[in-house]
Coordinates of all heavy atoms in Angstrom, one line a residue:
M1 N 133.2 78.8 138.6 CA 131.8 78.6 138.4 C 131.2 79.0 139.8 O 131.6 78.6 140.9 CB 131.4 77.2 138.3 CG 129.9 76.9 138.2 SD 129.5 75.3 137.5 CE 129.5 74.4 139.0
K2 N 130.2 79.9 139.9 CA 129.6 80.4 141.0 C 128.4 79.5 141.4 O 127.7 79.1 140.6 CB 129.0 81.8 140.9 CG 128.4 82.3 142.0 CD 127.8 83.7 141.8 CE 127.1 84.3 142.9 NZ 126.5 85.6 142.7
K3 N 128.4 79.1 142.7 CA 127.4 78.3 143.2 C 126.5 79.0 144.2 O 127.0 79.9 145.0 CB 127.9 77.0 144.0 CG 128.6 76.0 143.0 CD 128.9 74.8 143.8 CE 129.6 73.8 142.8 NZ 129.9 72.5 143.5
D4 N 125.2 78.7 144.1 CA 124.2 79.4 145.2 C 124.5 78.7 146.4 O 124.6 77.4 146.5 CB 122.9 79.2 144.7 CG 122.6 80.1 143.5 OD1 123.2 81.2 143.3 OD2 121.7 79.7 142.6
I5 N 124.3 79.4 147.6 CA 124.5 78.8 148.9 C 123.1 78.2 149.2 O 122.1 79.0 149.1 CB 124.9 79.9 149.9 CG1 126.2 80.4 149.6 CG2 124.8 79.3 151.3 CD1 126.6 81.6 150.5
E6 N 123.1 76.9 149.6 CA 121.8 76.3 149.9 C 121.6 76.4 151.3 O 120.5 76.4 151.8 CB 121.8 74.8 149.3 CG 121.9 74.8 147.8 CD 121.8 73.4 147.3 OE1 121.3 72.5 148.0 OE2 122.2 73.2 146.2
C7 N 122.5 76.3 152.2 CA 122.4 76.3 153.6 C 123.6 76.8 154.3 O 124.7 76.7 153.7 CB 121.8 75.1 154.3 SG 123.1 73.7 154.2
I8 N 123.4 77.3 155.5 CA 124.7 77.7 156.3 C 124.4 77.0 157.7 O 123.4 77.1 158.3 CB 124.7 79.2 156.6 CG1 124.9 79.9 155.3 CG2 125.8 79.6 157.5 CD1 124.8 81.4 155.4
L9 N 125.5 76.3 158.1 CA 125.4 75.6 159.3 C 126.3 76.3 160.4 O 127.4 76.7 160.1 CB 125.8 74.2 159.2 CG 125.1 73.4 158.2 CD1 125.7 72.0 158.0 CD2 123.6 73.2 158.5
F10 N 125.8 76.4 161.6 CA 126.6 77.0 162.7 C 126.8 76.1 163.9 O 126.0 75.3 164.2 CB 125.7 78.3 163.2 CG 125.5 79.3 162.2 CD1 124.2 79.5 161.6 CD2 126.4 80.2 161.9 CE1 124.0 80.4 160.7 CE2 126.3 81.3 160.9 CZ 125.0 81.3 160.3
D11 N 128.0 76.2 164.5 CA 128.3 75.5 165.6 C 127.9 76.4 166.8 O 128.8 77.2 167.4 CB 129.8 75.2 165.6 CG 130.3 74.6 166.9 OD1 129.6 73.9 167.5 OD2 131.3 74.9 167.4
L12 N 126.7 76.2 167.3 CA 126.2 77.1 168.3 C 126.4 76.5 169.7 O 126.1 77.2 170.7 CB 124.7 77.4 168.1 CG 124.5 78.1 166.8 CD1 122.9 78.4 166.7 CD2 125.2 79.4 166.7
D13 N 127.1 75.4 169.9 CA 127.3 74.8 171.3 C 128.7 74.9 171.5 O 129.2 74.3 172.5 CB 126.6 73.5 171.5 CG 127.3 72.4 170.6 OD1 128.1 72.8 169.8 OD2 126.8 71.2 170.6
N14 N 129.6 75.5 170.7 CA 131.0 75.8 170.9 C 131.8 74.5 170.9 O 132.8 74.4 171.5 CB 131.2 76.6 172.2 CG 130.6 77.9 172.1 OD1 130.7 78.7 171.0 ND2 130.2 78.5 173.2
T15 N 131.4 73.4 170.2 CA 132.1 72.2 170.2 C 133.2 72.3 169.1 O 134.2 71.6 169.3 CB 131.1 71.0 169.9 OG1 130.5 71.2 168.6 CG2 130.2 70.7 170.9
L16 N 133.1 73.1 168.2 CA 134.1 73.2 167.1 C 134.9 74.5 167.3 O 136.2 74.3 167.2 CB 133.5 73.2 165.7 CG 132.7 72.0 165.4 CD1 132.1 72.1 164.0 CD2 133.6 70.7 165.3
L17 N 134.4 75.5 167.6 CA 135.0 76.9 167.8 C 134.4 77.6 168.9 O 133.2 77.7 169.0 CB 134.9 77.7 166.5 CG 135.6 77.2 165.2 CD1 135.2 78.1 164.0 CD2 137.1 77.2 165.3
P18 N 135.2 78.1 169.8 CA 134.6 79.0 170.9 C 134.2 80.3 170.3 O 135.0 80.9 169.5 CB 135.8 79.1 171.9 CG 137.1 78.9 171.1 CD 136.7 77.9 169.9
I19 N 133.0 80.7 170.6 CA 132.5 81.9 170.1 C 131.7 82.6 171.3 O 131.4 82.0 172.3 CB 131.5 81.9 169.0 CG1 130.2 81.1 169.4 CG2 132.2 81.3 167.8 CD1 129.2 81.2 168.4
E20 N 131.7 84.0 171.2 CA 130.9 84.7 172.2 C 129.6 84.8 171.5 O 129.4 85.6 170.5 CB 131.5 86.1 172.4 CG 131.1 86.7 173.7 CD 129.7 87.2 173.8 OE1 128.8 86.4 173.9 OE2 129.5 88.3 173.9
E21 N 128.6 84.0 172.0 CA 127.4 83.8 171.3 C 126.5 85.2 171.1 O 126.0 85.4 170.0 CB 126.4 82.9 172.2 CG 125.1 82.4 171.5 CD 124.4 81.3 172.3 OE1 125.1 80.3 172.5 OE2 123.4 81.6 172.8
N22 N 126.4 86.0 172.1 CA 125.7 87.2 171.9 C 126.3 88.1 170.9 O 125.5 88.7 170.1 CB 125.5 87.8 173.3 CG 124.6 87.2 174.2 OD1 123.5 86.6 173.7 ND2 124.8 87.3 175.4
L23 N 127.6 88.2 170.9 CA 128.2 89.1 169.8 C 128.1 88.5 168.4 O 127.7 89.2 167.5 CB 129.7 89.2 170.1 CG 130.5 90.0 169.1 CD1 130.0 91.4 168.9 CD2 132.0 89.9 169.5
F24 N 128.1 87.2 168.3 CA 127.9 86.5 167.1 C 126.5 86.8 166.6 O 126.3 87.2 165.4 CB 128.2 85.0 167.1 CG 127.7 84.2 166.0 CD1 128.5 84.2 164.9 CD2 126.5 83.6 166.0 CE1 128.1 83.6 163.6 CE2 126.1 83.0 164.8 CZ 126.9 82.9 163.6
F25 N 125.4 86.5 167.3 CA 124.1 86.8 166.9 C 123.8 88.1 166.6 O 123.1 88.4 165.6 CB 123.1 86.1 168.0 CG 122.9 84.7 167.8 CD1 123.2 83.8 168.8 CD2 122.3 84.2 166.6 CE1 122.9 82.4 168.6 CE2 122.0 82.9 166.6 CZ 122.3 82.0 167.5
R26 N 124.2 89.1 167.4 CA 124.0 90.5 167.1 C 124.6 90.9 165.8 O 123.9 91.5 164.9 CB 124.7 91.4 168.2 CG 123.7 91.5 169.4 CD 124.2 92.6 170.4 NE 125.6 92.5 170.7 CZ 126.1 92.0 171.7 NH1 125.4 91.5 172.7 NH2 127.5 92.0 172.0
T27 N 125.8 90.4 165.5 CA 126.5 90.8 164.2 C 125.7 90.0 163.1 O 125.4 90.7 162.1 CB 128.0 90.3 164.3 OG1 128.5 91.0 165.4 CG2 128.7 90.7 163.0
Y28 N 125.5 88.7 163.2 CA 124.9 87.9 162.1 C 123.6 88.5 161.8 O 123.2 88.7 160.7 CB 124.8 86.5 162.5 CG 124.2 85.6 161.6 CD1 124.6 85.3 160.4 CD2 122.8 85.1 161.9 CE1 124.0 84.6 159.5 CE2 122.1 84.5 161.0 CZ 122.6 84.2 159.7 OH 121.9 83.5 158.7
V29 N 122.7 88.8 162.8 CA 121.3 89.1 162.5 C 121.3 90.4 161.9 O 120.5 90.8 161.0 CB 120.5 89.1 163.9 CG1 119.2 89.8 163.7 CG2 120.3 87.7 164.3
Y30 N 122.2 91.4 162.4 CA 122.3 92.7 161.7 C 122.7 92.6 160.3 O 122.0 93.2 159.4 CB 123.3 93.5 162.5 CG 123.4 94.9 161.9 CD1 122.6 95.9 162.3 CD2 124.5 95.3 161.0 CE1 122.7 97.2 161.7 CE2 124.7 96.5 160.5 CZ 123.7 97.5 160.8 OH 123.9 98.7 160.3
L31 N 123.6 91.7 160.0 CA 124.1 91.6 158.5 C 123.0 90.9 157.8 O 122.7 91.3 156.6 CB 125.4 90.9 158.4 CG 126.6 91.6 159.1 CD1 127.9 90.7 159.1 CD2 126.9 92.9 158.2
I32 N 122.4 89.9 158.2 CA 121.4 89.1 157.5 C 120.1 89.9 157.2 O 119.5 89.9 156.2 CB 121.1 87.8 158.1 CG1 120.4 86.8 157.1 CG2 120.2 87.9 159.2 CD1 121.4 86.3 155.9
S33 N 119.9 91.0 158.1 CA 118.7 91.8 157.9 C 118.8 92.6 156.8 O 117.8 93.1 156.2 CB 118.4 92.6 159.3 OG 119.4 93.6 159.3
D34 N 120.0 92.9 156.3 CA 120.1 93.8 155.0 C 119.6 93.1 153.8 O 119.0 93.7 152.9 CB 121.6 94.0 154.7 CG 122.1 95.0 155.6 OD1 121.4 95.9 156.1 OD2 123.5 95.0 155.8
V35 N 119.5 91.7 153.8 CA 119.0 90.9 152.8 C 117.5 91.2 152.6 O 116.9 91.2 151.5 CB 119.3 89.5 152.9 CG1 118.7 88.6 151.8 CG2 120.8 89.2 152.8
F36 N 116.8 91.2 153.8 CA 115.4 91.3 153.8 C 114.8 92.7 154.1 O 113.5 92.8 154.1 CB 114.9 90.3 154.9 CG 115.3 88.9 154.7 CD1 116.3 88.4 155.5 CD2 114.7 88.2 153.7 CE1 116.8 87.1 155.2 CE2 115.1 86.9 153.5 CZ 116.1 86.4 154.3
A37 N 115.7 93.7 154.2 CA 115.2 94.9 154.6 C 114.4 95.7 153.5 O 113.9 96.8 153.7 CB 116.3 95.9 155.1
V38 N 114.4 95.2 152.4 CA 113.6 95.8 151.2 C 112.2 95.9 151.4 O 111.5 96.9 151.2 CB 114.0 95.0 149.9 CG1 113.1 95.5 148.7 CG2 115.4 95.0 149.5
E39 N 111.6 94.7 152.1 CA 110.2 94.7 152.3 C 109.7 95.0 153.7 O 108.6 95.2 154.0 CB 109.7 93.3 151.9 CG 109.9 93.0 150.4 CD 109.4 91.6 150.0 OE1 108.5 91.0 150.8 OE2 109.8 91.1 149.0
T40 N 110.7 94.9 154.6 CA 110.4 95.0 156.1 C 111.5 95.9 156.7 O 112.6 95.9 156.3 CB 110.5 93.6 156.8 OG1 109.5 92.8 156.1 CG2 109.9 93.7 158.2
E41 N 111.1 96.6 157.7 CA 112.1 97.6 158.5 C 113.1 96.6 159.1 O 112.8 95.6 159.6 CB 111.3 98.3 159.5 CG 110.4 99.3 158.9 CD 111.1 100.5 158.1 OE1 112.2 100.8 158.6 OE2 110.6 100.8 157.2
K42 N 114.4 97.0 159.0 CA 115.5 96.3 159.5 C 115.4 96.0 161.1 O 115.6 94.9 161.4 CB 116.8 97.2 159.2 CG 118.0 96.4 159.5 CD 119.2 97.1 159.0 CE 120.5 96.2 159.3 NZ 121.5 96.5 158.3
E43 N 114.9 96.9 161.8 CA 114.7 96.8 163.3 C 113.7 95.7 163.5 O 113.8 94.9 164.4 CB 114.4 98.1 163.9 CG 115.6 99.0 164.0 CD 116.9 98.4 164.6 OE1 116.7 97.7 165.7 OE2 117.9 98.6 164.2
D44 N 112.7 95.5 162.7 CA 111.6 94.6 162.8 C 112.2 93.2 162.6 O 111.9 92.2 163.3 CB 110.5 94.8 162.0 CG 109.6 96.1 162.4 OD1 109.7 96.5 163.6 OD2 108.9 96.6 161.5
I45 N 113.0 93.2 161.6 CA 113.7 91.8 161.1 C 114.6 91.4 162.3 O 114.6 90.2 162.7 CB 114.5 92.0 159.9 CG1 113.5 92.3 158.8 CG2 115.2 90.8 159.6 CD1 114.2 92.7 157.4
I46 N 115.4 92.3 162.8 CA 116.4 92.0 163.8 C 115.5 91.5 165.2 O 115.9 90.4 165.8 CB 117.2 93.1 164.2 CG1 118.1 93.4 163.1 CG2 118.0 92.9 165.5 CD1 118.8 94.7 163.2
T47 N 114.5 92.2 165.5 CA 113.7 91.8 166.6 C 113.0 90.4 166.4 O 113.0 89.5 167.3 CB 112.6 92.9 166.9 OG1 113.3 94.0 167.2 CG2 111.7 92.4 168.1
N48 N 112.5 90.2 165.2 CA 111.8 88.9 165.0 C 112.8 87.8 165.0 O 112.5 86.7 165.6 CB 111.0 89.0 163.7 CG 109.8 89.8 163.8 OD1 109.2 90.1 164.8 ND2 109.4 90.3 162.6
I49 N 113.9 87.9 164.4 CA 114.9 86.8 164.4 C 115.3 86.5 165.8 O 115.5 85.4 166.3 CB 116.1 87.1 163.4 CG1 115.6 87.1 161.9 CG2 117.2 86.1 163.6 CD1 116.7 87.4 161.0
W50 N 115.7 87.6 166.5 CA 116.2 87.4 167.9 C 115.2 86.7 168.8 O 115.6 85.8 169.6 CB 116.6 88.7 168.5 CG 117.3 88.6 169.8 CD1 116.8 88.9 170.9 CD2 118.5 87.9 170.0 NE1 117.7 88.6 172.1 CE2 118.8 87.9 171.4 CE3 119.6 87.4 169.2 CZ2 120.0 87.5 172.0 CZ3 120.7 86.8 169.9 CH2 120.9 86.9 171.2
N51 N 113.9 87.1 168.7 CA 112.9 86.4 169.5 C 112.8 84.9 169.0 O 112.4 84.1 169.9 CB 111.5 87.2 169.3 CG 111.5 88.5 170.0 OD1 112.3 88.8 170.9 ND2 110.7 89.4 169.6
S52 N 112.8 84.7 167.8 CA 112.7 83.4 167.3 C 113.9 82.5 167.8 O 113.7 81.2 168.3 CB 112.6 83.2 165.8 OG 111.5 83.9 165.3
V53 N 115.0 83.0 167.8 CA 116.2 82.3 168.4 C 116.0 82.0 169.9 O 116.3 80.9 170.3 CB 117.6 83.1 168.0 CG1 118.7 82.4 168.9 CG2 117.8 83.1 166.7
L54 N 115.6 83.0 170.6 CA 115.3 82.8 172.1 C 114.3 81.7 172.3 O 114.4 80.9 173.2 CB 114.9 84.1 172.7 CG 116.0 85.2 172.7 CD1 115.4 86.5 173.4 CD2 117.2 84.6 173.6
T55 N 113.3 81.7 171.5 CA 112.2 80.6 171.6 C 112.8 79.3 171.3 O 112.4 78.3 172.1 CB 111.1 81.0 170.6 OG1 110.4 82.2 170.9 CG2 110.0 79.9 170.6
M56 N 113.7 79.2 170.3 CA 114.3 77.9 170.0 C 115.2 77.4 171.1 O 115.3 76.2 171.3 CB 115.0 78.0 168.7 CG 114.1 78.0 167.4 SD 115.0 77.9 165.9 CE 116.2 79.3 166.0
K57 N 115.8 78.3 171.8 CA 116.7 78.0 172.9 C 115.9 77.3 174.1 O 116.5 76.6 174.8 CB 117.4 79.2 173.5 CG 118.6 79.7 172.4 CD 119.3 80.9 172.9 CE 120.3 80.3 174.1 NZ 121.2 81.4 174.5
E58 N 114.7 77.6 174.1 CA 113.8 77.1 175.2 C 113.1 75.8 174.7 O 112.1 75.3 175.3 CB 112.9 78.1 175.6 CG 113.5 79.4 176.2 CD 114.4 79.1 177.4 OE1 113.9 78.3 178.3 OE2 115.4 79.7 177.6
N59 N 113.5 75.2 173.6 CA 112.8 74.1 173.0 C 112.8 72.9 174.0 O 113.8 72.5 174.4 CB 113.4 73.6 171.7 CG 112.7 72.6 171.0 OD1 111.7 72.1 171.4 ND2 113.1 72.3 169.7
T60 N 111.6 72.4 174.2 CA 111.4 71.3 175.1 C 111.5 69.8 174.4 O 111.3 68.8 175.0 CB 110.1 71.4 175.8 OG1 109.0 71.3 174.9 CG2 110.1 72.6 176.7
G61 N 111.5 69.9 173.0 CA 111.5 68.8 172.2 C 110.2 68.4 171.7 O 110.1 67.4 170.9
K62 N 109.2 69.1 172.0 CA 107.8 68.8 171.5 C 107.6 69.3 170.1 O 106.7 68.8 169.4 CB 106.7 69.5 172.3 CG 106.7 68.9 173.7 CD 105.6 69.5 174.7 CE 105.7 68.8 176.1 NZ 104.7 69.4 176.9
Q63 N 108.4 70.3 169.7 CA 108.4 70.7 168.3 C 109.8 70.8 167.8 O 110.7 70.9 168.6 CB 107.8 72.1 168.3 CG 106.3 72.2 168.6 CD 105.8 73.7 168.5 OE1 106.0 74.4 169.5 NE2 105.2 74.0 167.4
T64 N 109.9 70.8 166.4 CA 111.2 71.0 165.9 C 111.6 72.5 166.0 O 110.8 73.4 166.2 CB 111.3 70.6 164.4 OG1 110.5 71.6 163.7 CG2 110.9 69.2 164.2
N65 N 112.9 72.8 165.9 CA 113.4 74.2 166.0 C 112.7 75.0 164.8 O 112.5 76.2 165.0 CB 114.9 74.3 165.9 CG 115.5 74.1 167.3 OD1 114.8 74.2 168.3 ND2 116.7 73.7 167.3
E66 N 112.5 74.3 163.6 CA 112.0 75.0 162.5 C 110.5 75.4 162.8 O 110.1 76.6 162.6 CB 112.1 74.2 161.3 CG 111.3 74.9 160.1 CD 111.3 73.9 158.9 OE1 111.6 72.7 158.9 OE2 110.9 74.4 157.8
E67 N 109.8 74.5 163.4 CA 108.4 74.8 163.8 C 108.4 75.9 164.8 O 107.5 76.9 164.7 CB 107.7 73.6 164.4 CG 107.5 72.5 163.3 CD 107.1 71.1 164.0 OE1 107.3 70.9 165.2 OE2 106.5 70.4 163.3
L68 N 109.3 76.0 165.8 CA 109.3 77.0 166.9 C 109.7 78.3 166.2 O 109.0 79.4 166.5 CB 110.3 76.7 167.9 CG 109.8 75.6 168.9 CD1 110.9 75.1 169.8 CD2 108.6 76.1 169.7
F69 N 110.7 78.3 165.3 CA 111.1 79.6 164.7 C 109.9 80.2 164.0 O 109.7 81.4 164.2 CB 112.2 79.3 163.7 CG 112.7 80.4 163.1 CD1 113.7 81.2 163.6 CD2 112.3 80.9 161.7 CE1 114.3 82.4 163.0 CE2 112.7 82.0 161.2 CZ 113.8 82.8 161.7
W70 N 109.3 79.5 163.0 CA 108.2 80.1 162.3 C 107.0 80.4 163.1 O 106.3 81.4 162.7 CB 107.9 79.2 161.0 CG 109.0 79.1 160.1 CD1 109.8 78.1 159.8 CD2 109.5 80.2 159.3 NE1 110.7 78.4 158.8 CE2 110.6 79.7 158.5 CE3 109.2 81.5 159.2 CZ2 111.4 80.4 157.7 CZ3 109.9 82.3 158.2 CH2 111.0 81.8 157.5
S71 N 106.7 79.7 164.1 CA 105.5 79.9 165.0 C 105.7 81.2 165.8 O 104.7 81.8 166.3 CB 105.1 78.8 165.7 OG 106.1 78.5 166.7
S72 N 106.9 81.5 166.1 CA 107.3 82.7 166.9 C 107.3 84.0 166.1 O 107.5 85.1 166.8 CB 108.5 82.5 167.7 OG 109.6 82.4 166.8
L73 N 107.2 84.0 164.8 CA 107.2 85.2 164.1 C 105.9 86.1 164.2 O 104.9 85.5 164.2 CB 107.7 85.1 162.7 CG 109.0 84.4 162.5 CD1 109.3 84.2 160.9 CD2 110.1 85.5 162.9

């Protein structure tokens, strides 16, 4: 039986698995942009996601990461 994926969780502080963060994000964002490239240019998607991630990294706690992500698009 096939199940739809509801969410994907990432260990971005390297507590579970050591990763090279920049390589991971470049690869992930490039691959995920294929899903949305039908309506928007792939390069625009990559730029928007990357800028949102950088905004979330600077989170001071006044907003949730979700709020920062969507407000930075």
Side-chain angles (χ1 to χ4, degrees):
M1 179 169 94
K2 182 180 175 185
K3 291 186 176 185
D4 292 332
I5 296 173
E6 292 184 24
C7 70
I8 299 173
L9 305 174
F10 297 103
D11 171 37
L12 298 180
D13 63 356
N14 296 325
T15 55
L16 299 175
L17 296 171
I19 63 167
E20 207 289 70
E21 188 175 298
N22 287 329
L23 175 61
F24 170 79
F25 273 118
R26 280 193 306 265
T27 304
Y28 174 73
V29 170
Y30 180 80
L31 293 172
I32 199 72
S33 66
D34 284 335
V35 174
F36 301 102
V38 174
E39 297 180 17
T40 306
E41 293 294 321
K42 189 169 184 150
E43 289 303 316
D44 291 339
I45 295 167
I46 292 169
T47 300
N48 288 337
I49 292 174
W50 187 248
N51 288 337
S52 294
V53 168
L54 293 176
T55 300
M56 289 186 300
K57 286 181 75 166
E58 302 297 321
N59 190 350
T60 61
K62 293 180 181 178
Q63 293 179 280
T64 66
N65 281 339
E66 179 184 10
E67 291 167 337
L68 286 172
F69 180 88
W70 292 113
S71 69
S72 65
L73 294 177

